Amino acid sequence: MTVATVEGYASLLEETLPRVRARITEAARAAGRDPSAVTLVGVTKGHPVEAVQAALAAGLHDLGENRVGELEGKRSALGPIPGRWHFIGHIQSRKAGRAVAASDVIHSIDSRKLAGKVARAAEEREEPMPVLVQVNTSGEEAKSGLEGERLVEELHEIAESPWLRVIGLMTMAPFVAEERVLAKTFGGLRALSERVRSVTEQVGPELSMGMTNDLEIAIREGSTMVRIGTALFGERGTA
Ligand SMILES: *Cc1c(COP(=O)(O)O)cnc(C)c1O
């Protein structure tokens, strides 16, 4: 399949975008939720700028990337876009400033150290950065994110920075997991959000959870932002 042209991605999205939106609508309705409360973030990582152009033309205005260099490349090729760039990948501390400059919202604040670096970059440009704090709810060692006994305390510390606007929390589920495990992972993030928000106004209500394979369960458990790549743009190249 060669879809590496704007036309190719456009015809792919003609099929996939309504299908993904229908999955979101159906899952929200089944949970008694308003479908418009769930933002679809189209994850264009691993796809060329043509995918971004086709997505914007199709009305998908929230786009996600997970590598600073790749995002910068797409930004410089396209110029300002009529939409928002969501950064969803792990950020090395030394790239925090570049991530802040290139993103509209960062979903992947996965340590206090990174939070500090991002806050400093935001302070330098004198504009608070909208972020989500990533939580390792599954306990898998390979996953990044806040975890353990000091999690709530650390979350409070991060949220106290005047240069970070913590709009919510983010998590990733184990890649291969039974529905029960997924529900527990996502439900755990929602419970944490409720607990933290009952004692501070500095953490917002967004819950970034759900990908191609688990968006229904995530929405049932309260997701407000699903991050979808494969179901929209097809398989990614390995490069
Ligand atoms: C790649 C990625 C996604 C999208 O995954 P798909 O399974 O292709 O929908 C979502 N979130 C994060 C953090 C990712 O890295």
Side-chain angles (χ1 to χ4, degrees):
M1 187 172 54
T2 52
V3 287
T5 60
V6 179
E7 295 74 23
Y9 278 109
S11 65
L12 178 62
L13 284 169
E14 244 173 69
E15 261 181 58
T16 59
L17 185 55
R19 212 185 289 155
V20 169
R21 289 210 194 277
R23 283 177 65 185
I24 292 171
T25 301
E26 209 170 298
R29 292 225 174 103
R33 301 183 55 209
D34 179 358
S36 70
V38 183
T39 299
L40 170 59
V41 178
V43 177
T44 48
K45 72 179 187 197
H47 292 277
V49 287
E50 284 80 1
V52 178
Q53 290 170 300
L56 291 169
L60 184 55
H61 290 159
D62 286 278
L63 300 163
E65 288 284 336
N66 74 335
R67 286 170 195 269
V68 177
E70 189 175 343
L71 172 55
E72 287 172 337
K74 283 175 181 157
R75 282 183 65 109
S76 63
L78 293 170
I81 62 161
R84 296 194 294 171
W85 282 116
H86 297 249
F87 200 87
I88 61 172
H90 175 66
I91 300 169
Q92 292 167 277
S93 292
R94 63 188 174 85
K95 291 188 183 165
R98 284 165 57 192
V100 167
S103 314
D104 296 295
V105 46
I106 295 176
H107 290 228
S108 42
I109 300 295
D110 56 14
S111 69
R112 270 188 310 167
K113 183 179 171 204
L114 178 63
K117 297 269 184 186
V118 167
R120 226 156 297 143
E123 182 173 9
E124 263 167 42
R125 66 170 194 175
E126 297 179 16
E127 199 185 320
M129 186 71 202
V131 301
L132 293 93
V133 175
Q134 184 171 351
V135 178
N136 183 355
T137 41
S138 68
E140 279 182 303
E141 265 182 39
K143 292 268 190 294
S144 44
L146 268 59
E147 60 185 335
E149 284 166 23
R150 300 202 54 239
L151 192 160
V152 172
E153 208 177 315
E154 290 183 3
L155 186 50
H156 278 272
E157 267 178 52
I158 292 171
E160 266 170 19
S161 166
W163 297 104
L164 299 177
R165 200 157 59 77
V166 179
I167 65 170
L169 306 180
M170 180 272 222
T171 199
M172 283 178 77
F175 188 62
V176 214
E178 307 161 43
E179 182 167 339
R180 187 178 50 85
V181 177
L182 295 173
K184 200 173 151 218
T185 303
F186 297 143
L189 192 71
R190 188 196 48 202
L192 174 65
S193 167
E194 283 167 6
R195 191 165 123 223
V196 169
R197 282 167 50 71
S198 71
V199 292
T200 178
E201 288 171 358
Q202 280 166 320
V203 175
E206 303 289 346
L207 292 172
S208 169
M209 53 192 200
M211 306 175 21
T212 288
N213 291 325
D214 54 25
L215 77 88
E216 281 84 2
I217 302 167
I219 289 172
R220 193 178 75 208
E221 297 297 330
S223 171
T224 65
M225 295 174 141
V226 289
R227 311 176 306 265
I228 310 298
T230 311
L232 290 171
F233 303 103
E235 296 290 334
R236 291 175 281 273
T238 47

